[in-house]
DNA sequence: TTATTATAGTTACAAATGAAACTTTTTTCA
DNA sequence: TGAAAAAAGTTTCATTTGTAACTATAATAA
């Protein structure tokens, strides 16, 4: 066990630092998959992936599902609409509420990006055996539940 | 096992997303520990922690040790110097090379922040048993080594 | 020696992000 | 009712961040 418990601070072994180091590398590589070829930002990609699973949701709903704040959601949707990848109308019942869907072009681009992204995830998971996979899953859930509980 | 292997993309189970979600929450909470009371940024804090372990290093060295790029390092050092927490001279042997040290005030502030930061890490680690701790350690090292190898 | 290349660090500009204020519409409740 | 509060989105402005260009010094090599 060489996590940094109860010792003087050593940055390289400090859990928050190690997590953010790993996460930043992964996020950057992932972002290249859609930013290089498709001119899509990370926020935009998260909205697309959310619309793929949940058509007809509102911006606020998309924000909840992605843990993005409403300004980031608004900007991502604007970007996607400008590019013609998402279609936005406002609900008849509640005219504050947006109703979002991918356009055909959005679907087309989504279906080209998704395999790249999934493949990248698989390449990460492939280095772990099934025991390690379930450990990772458990640890992420446990830590996330903990830091989220307040 | 409920990581997202070989399946259609489900954002909430997608490893890079889960990692960045957890990491962002932790980083934000951590940053409050020094930004609220001490008006120190995350970059500045990383430089202070590095100088605590490695006095007399240069900006470039600090950059290597923290995986920060040189512009971020330069700005953090400027901020720290402006606040009187770090002292910078240029080496006699190589006048491009900076020689950095905390001032007394820097040491004083560092020694007040470090316990807060360490305590926060311990509160995270405290929810894990010793087996989970070693699993976490192993997984972070393994994944980091993998994504770093190229 | 001196011309080229490399290194350390800074500066400048553009893009991304975050917080607060704002508009419009709906809900609440006195 | 209708006044106040809340909700959905957008806009604005200030800060942060990232990339590229720049200055100064040192190392390399023709």
């Amino acid at each position: 066990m060489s996590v940094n418990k109860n010792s003087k601070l050593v940055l390289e072994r400090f859990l928050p630092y190690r997590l953010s180091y790993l996460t930043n590398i992964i996020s950057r590589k992932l972002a290249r998959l859609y930013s290089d070829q498709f001119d899509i930002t990370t926020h935009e990609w998260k909205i697309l992936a959310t619309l793929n699973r949940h058509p007809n949701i509102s911006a606020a709903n998309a924000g909840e599902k992605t843990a993005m704040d409403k300004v980031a959601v608004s900007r991502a949707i604007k970007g996607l609409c400008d590019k013609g990848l998402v279609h936005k109308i406002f609900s008849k019942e509640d005219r504050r509420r947006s109703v979002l869907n991918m356009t055909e072009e959005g679907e087309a681009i989504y279906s080209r990006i998704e395999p790249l992204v999934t493949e990248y995830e698989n390449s990460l998971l492939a280095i772990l055996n099934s025991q390690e996979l379930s450990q990772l899953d458990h640890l992420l859930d446990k830590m996330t539940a903990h830091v989220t509980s307040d």
Side-chain angles (χ1 to χ4, degrees), chain A:
Chain A
M1 201 259 291
S2 83
V3 288
N4 199 27
K5 197 170 190 178
N6 287 323
S7 69
K8 274 275 165 191
L9 185 63
V10 179
L11 213 53
E12 307 94 274
R13 291 279 107 195
F14 183 61
L15 177 62
Y17 171 72
R18 292 168 75 189
L19 268 176
S20 86
Y21 183 70
L22 172 63
T23 299
N24 288 342
I25 294 176
I26 291 175
S27 296
R28 216 175 303 134
K29 291 194 180 188
L30 189 66
R32 286 225 196 94
L33 298 179
Y34 36 81
S35 65
D36 279 0
Q37 294 185 54
F38 301 99
D39 186 37
I40 298 277
T41 69
T42 295
H43 285 333
E44 289 168 355
W45 165 247
K46 281 166 83 170
I47 297 296
L48 284 185
T50 304
L51 290 181
N52 182 61
R53 283 190 69 216
H54 308 284
N56 293 308
I57 63 172
S58 68
N61 285 159
E64 286 163 24
K65 292 189 188 306
T66 55
M68 292 163 67
D69 78 274
K70 63 180 182 173
V71 177
V73 171
S74 174
R75 292 201 260 239
I77 290 170
K78 182 172 191 317
L80 291 166
C81 287
D82 289 352
K83 290 169 199 152
L85 306 182
V86 161
H87 177 243
K88 175 177 73 176
I89 58 176
F90 284 91
S91 163
K92 288 271 161 61
E93 295 87 51
D94 182 343
R95 290 163 56 210
R96 295 171 304 184
R97 201 169 186 72
S98 59
V99 179
L100 305 168
N101 279 290
M102 281 194 264
T103 61
E104 277 190 32
E105 198 189 339
E107 306 267 12
I109 284 193
Y110 180 81
S111 70
R112 291 176 64 198
I113 296 176
E114 201 205 60
L116 300 177
V117 160
T118 304
E119 180 187 38
Y120 179 64
E121 184 192 34
N122 286 337
S123 78
L124 288 176
L125 298 177
I127 66 165
L128 305 179
N129 62 40
S130 66
Q131 215 177 24
E132 290 169 328
L133 281 175
S134 66
Q135 290 168 0
L136 176 62
D137 188 55
H138 169 71
L139 288 167
L140 284 176
D141 277 348
K142 187 167 184 176
M143 295 177 70
T144 302
H146 176 70
V147 301
T148 301
S149 69
D150 48 33

